[in-house]
Amino acid sequence: MAKRAMTPEAKALKAKAIMDKAAEMFLELEYEQIKMSDIAKQMGMSNGILFVYFKTKEALFFSVLCREYVKRLDRLTEMVLQTPIRSFEDFRMLLMDELMELVDENPLYVKLESMRTAVFEKNVDAETMLNQKLDLYKRMLDVVTIICEFEAVTPEDVIEILQAEASIMTGCKLTATLPEDVVEIIKKNGMDGFQRDFREDVRKTMLSYLDGYYNNFMVPRSTEEKGYD
């Protein structure tokens, strides 16, 4: 059995290794199929030591999600710096490029995000959630500041749209996710039309939302700023 890491650096490395293993298992199994005892066994440690690092299964996977969100914010920052946001169309293109990249290249984030409000935030302990969310909020504000440098959109616009995007992603993911036995029946009977295309659903829904947001909020605001009745 592995011994409990004692130095802060060693503890951080061990926590990272645990999250890496949890993420690896989550890509292959459903959340309900993963037990903390299975993760401990994979890590070569006792259940007791695992719970020293993460009090609950929800806390562990919420931490994995937050880590993925940090990576997402870093990537979003990189994209904004490459293409400054000088108009709502620039912002629209940024969001769609980043969203499609997430869908195509980061199934871990998409799967975790779809469970955030219903599972992780509902059951994770308050201390873990508060600490993680405070850090993410600070990082988010830094990204928002860069996006809003040329005042094409306001910080309120950015935050509201990103929150809507998360809801859209979750809704489309849940709609497209069917039990394995149902998927088999669909395939066997040639009923492909009954299976949702997650990527296309997300793309169309987000585009529709952005168009609606622009027409309902950005255009009227622009008109008021110009002093038109």
Side-chain angles (χ1 to χ4, degrees), residues 97-111:
D97 287 345
E98 195 258 349
L99 177 59
M100 291 298 96
E101 185 174 292
L102 275 179
V103 171
D104 292 336
E105 301 179 16
N106 197 338
L108 175 62
Y109 176 84
V110 172
K111 193 175 179 184

Side-chain angles (χ1 to χ4, degrees), residues 1-118:
M1 289 287 180
K3 294 182 179 180
R4 179 179 172 184
M6 298 306 295
T7 67
E9 294 79 9
K11 288 181 179 179
L13 287 173
K14 183 62 69 175
K16 177 183 181 301
I18 293 170
M19 287 193 285
D20 288 344
K21 179 56 65 176
E24 177 187 320
M25 295 174 70
F26 188 60
L27 285 172
E28 298 177 358
L29 301 168
E30 293 304 317
Y31 181 74
E32 296 77 13
Q33 297 175 305
I34 302 173
K35 298 178 181 178
M36 290 292 272
S37 58
D38 295 331
I39 298 173
K41 185 177 180 179
Q42 290 281 331
M43 293 298 300
M45 62 175 57
S46 68
N47 292 346
I49 292 180
L50 176 59
F51 283 111
V52 167
Y53 289 94
F54 298 97
K55 297 178 182 178
T56 64
K57 178 179 168 182
E58 289 81 11
L60 169 54
F61 280 91
F62 183 70
S63 296
V64 175
L65 170 59
C66 290
R67 186 174 69 169
E68 290 302 309
Y69 200 79
V70 169
K71 293 178 185 177
R72 180 189 177 187
L73 291 177
D74 288 344
R75 173 58 181 150
L76 186 58
T77 301
E78 180 184 330
M79 295 173 76
V80 177
L81 292 175
Q82 290 174 349
T83 308
I85 307 304
R86 300 177 184 275
S87 67
F88 187 82
E89 181 59 25
D90 288 341
F91 183 53
R92 181 177 181 272
M93 290 178 63
L94 168 73
L95 285 179
M96 293 308 301
D97 287 345
E98 195 258 349
L99 177 59
M100 291 298 96
E101 185 174 292
L102 275 179
V103 171
D104 292 336
E105 301 179 16
N106 197 338
L108 175 62
Y109 176 84
V110 172
K111 193 175 179 184
L112 287 165
E113 176 62 33
S114 69
M115 299 177 64
R116 176 172 55 85
T117 55

Side-chain angles (χ1 to χ4, degrees), residues 135-168:
D135 180 58
L136 288 177
Y137 182 68
K138 292 175 183 176
R139 290 173 178 269
M140 171 66 78
L141 289 181
D142 290 339
V143 178
V144 170
T145 298
I146 298 172
I147 291 174
C148 297
E149 179 181 359
F150 296 97
E151 300 182 352
V153 288
T154 67
E156 292 76 18
D157 291 327
V158 177
I159 292 173
E160 184 169 339
I161 290 173
L162 287 176
Q163 289 175 339
E165 180 192 62
S167 298
I168 288 169

